[in-house]
Amino acid sequence: MRAQRLFRWLAALAALAMLVGACTTGDDDDVSSDDAPDADGDGGGDGADPEVGPGFDGETITLGVLTPTTGPAAAIGEPLTNGNRVFWEQYNAENGGIAGQYPVELDVQDTGYVPDTAVQKYNQTKEDVLAYQQILGTQVTLSVLEQLKTDGILGAPASLDSLWLREANLLPVGAPYQYQFINGFDWYFAEDGNAAVVDDATVCALTQDDAYGEAGIEGLEFAAENVGFEIAETQTFPPGAEDFSAQVGALKGAGCTVVALAALPSNTGTITGTAAQLEFAPDWLGLSPTWINVLAQSPVGPYLEQTFHVVSDAPDWGDESAPGMVEMIAALEEFDPEQVPDGYFIFGYYQAQAMAALLEQAVENGQLSQSGLIDAMTEMGTVSFGGLTGDYEYGPIAERTPPINSNIATVVPDAPNGLVNQTEWTADFGADFDLG
């Protein structure tokens, strides 16, 4: 199913990518921010300075960012991009940049969370960046993936689909969405009494009608096979939808007792508000992008506090048992003390940490170039993020291994991010999921 889904989306988008490309202008092991850069500081494995090329002028590295700063996903794009930015400001200040001498700058482009806009922005910037620090959105990443391959450029997806694992032009981080529902539903039934609750439960799904939603369904179906429940009702909605009364009404009519939700945070409030108005109060298990901190203090906050769980792999904001969190908070205090607690900021911060590890490897190899980054990624080894997310084993593409653990959080309005993790959970059968 995984391969069929990828081929289906890529086939549909290939023609659009080529058309937009023709219309645009332009010329034809562990690393953290306080690790010491390459001791030689010379930018190359043979002692030579890296050659000037796209995204590197001999002094500064420029990375592209394709993210929504407007539109329905701006609430994700803005803090996530700020996480990228704060990491690089800290890294530049403390280390002098990559290899101790090449500071990193970001070229941020607004996609509006629209795939064809993302393709346009990609074509406008691809000759001016060394790589893409962030490409936000599963569907958006798919829209530019074939061109990344054709152009020999690397991008870091700001989404968690397992599709990215075997893509040589992508630098993924974090546990895939599929594992969030695998772990979430295994926890849900084990926590509540296992088989007896499975027999009594009516499991349903409400998902965005795109590749992001399909990733959630893949995980839910795998959990159903292994835990032993049926998916009684599945409802979908198009990206950008504003009215969910029909979908929520159908879920209530089906007698759903627990609902798997794959949506954006801009949808979550409306969806759960509609449910509350209809006096429909199942348990909700949401993928990590369903949440944003303002929901906890919103009018639907009391409803969410009683019914909503969020599955992610992030620690609680301010958790000093995670050394990466301590480092991140210190960076915020120096470079952006106004940033409020936000899970997307955490993602952006550790996503940039992975890119730093890659750039340092490329300089060590003497290949600080677009194609050199793709080669360097196969030599990175395991990158640890200090507990901000699980360790990621990079190396040869066929051998890459993501973290597969999840945290199960409940809504606590007074908590910094509106969430408090209740437990860490990894399904015993999770390792059997086919990552490709």
Side-chain angles (χ1 to χ4, degrees), residues 57-95:
D57 62 5
E59 297 180 353
T60 301
I61 295 169
T62 300
L63 301 175
V65 172
L66 301 176
T67 196
T69 58
T70 60
I76 297 175
E78 290 183 346
L80 199 152
T81 302
N82 200 35
N84 294 159
R85 181 186 63 78
V86 167
F87 175 87
W88 284 116
E89 288 190 4
Q90 178 192 36
Y91 202 88
N92 291 339
E94 294 183 357
N95 297 328

Side-chain angles (χ1 to χ4, degrees), residues 12-79:
L13 290 163
L16 172 63
M18 289 187 290
L19 175 62
V20 175
C23 295
T24 56
T25 60
D27 299 330
D28 289 314
D29 285 305
D30 298 352
V31 174
S32 65
S33 65
D34 58 359
D35 285 335
D38 182 3
D40 292 334
D42 57 22
D46 59 358
D49 291 334
E51 294 183 4
V52 171
F56 180 63
D57 62 5
E59 297 180 353
T60 301
I61 295 169
T62 300
L63 301 175
V65 172
L66 301 176
T67 196
T69 58
T70 60
I76 297 175
E78 290 183 346

Side-chain angles (χ1 to χ4, degrees), residues 148-168:
L148 287 170
K149 294 178 180 179
T150 299
D151 297 330
I153 300 175
L154 180 136
S159 66
L160 296 172
D161 200 309
S162 66
L163 289 172
W164 312 148
L165 186 65
R166 304 297 177 222
E167 292 295 338

Side-chain angles (χ1 to χ4, degrees), residues 1-3 5-6 160-167 172 174-180 182 215 218-219 222 392-393 397-405 429-436:
M1 178 178 178
R2 176 186 180 278
R5 182 159 67 89
L6 177 60
L160 296 172
D161 200 309
S162 66
L163 289 172
W164 312 148
L165 186 65
R166 304 297 177 222
E167 292 295 338
Y177 293 134
Q178 287 85 345
Y179 281 105
Q180 292 185 6
I182 289 169
E218 283 184 356
F222 190 76
Y392 208 112
E393 298 178 21
I397 300 303
E399 300 174 14
R400 292 204 298 201
T401 304
I404 63 173
N405 61 298
F429 55 84
D432 296 331
F433 179 73
D434 183 11
L435 288 167

Side-chain angles (χ1 to χ4, degrees), residues 343-404:
Y344 303 111
F345 179 92
I346 296 175
F347 185 102
Y349 186 88
Y350 70 71
Q351 183 190 48
Q353 187 175 345
M355 183 64 75
L358 175 60
L359 292 172
E360 294 287 3
Q361 183 68 56
V363 171
E364 182 178 332
N365 293 352
Q367 293 183 317
L368 189 62
S369 64
Q370 290 179 338
S371 62
L373 294 190
I374 296 173
D375 293 337
M377 188 165 54
T378 66
E379 302 176 33
M380 285 172 63
T382 298
V383 177
S384 176
F385 301 93
L388 294 178
T389 184
D391 294 358
Y392 208 112
E393 298 178 21
Y394 291 100
I397 300 303
E399 300 174 14
R400 292 204 298 201
T401 304
I404 63 173

